[in-house]
């Protein structure tokens, strides 16, 4: 299966039977990111976390007592 990175538009091929290929076929919301882009984003995010000014906004999920 040929896939395209959403950031750098590099085209790569992955195995048709892999979990990632199945996820991309069945759920269009999932996107493919190549390894260099994924590593770069991880590195930059970790640098931002280390500064102390990084806030991760997550929705507050309230547990129902039912």
């Amino acid at each position: 299966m040929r896939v395209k990175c959403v950031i750098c538009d590099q085209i790569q091929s992955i195995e048709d039977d892999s979990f990632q290929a199945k996820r991309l076929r069945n759920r269009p919301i999932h996107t493919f990111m190549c390894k260099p882009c994924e590593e770069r984003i991880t590195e930059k995010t970790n640098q931002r976390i280390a500064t102390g000014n990084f806030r991760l906004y997550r929705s507050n999920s309230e547990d129902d007592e039912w």
Side-chain angles (χ1 to χ4, degrees), residues 10-11 13-14 23 28 41 48 60:
Q10 180 182 2
I11 297 175
S13 75
I14 58 175
R23 186 170 40 166
I41 289 174
R48 288 176 55 210
N60 294 336

Side-chain angles (χ1 to χ4, degrees), residues 17-35:
D17 299 332
S18 68
F19 174 72
Q20 190 174 27
K22 182 178 179 182
R23 186 170 40 166
L24 290 169
R25 274 193 307 270
N26 293 335
R27 298 186 185 108
I29 191 130
H30 291 286
T31 56
F32 176 78
M33 209 176 347
C34 64
K35 286 290 182 192

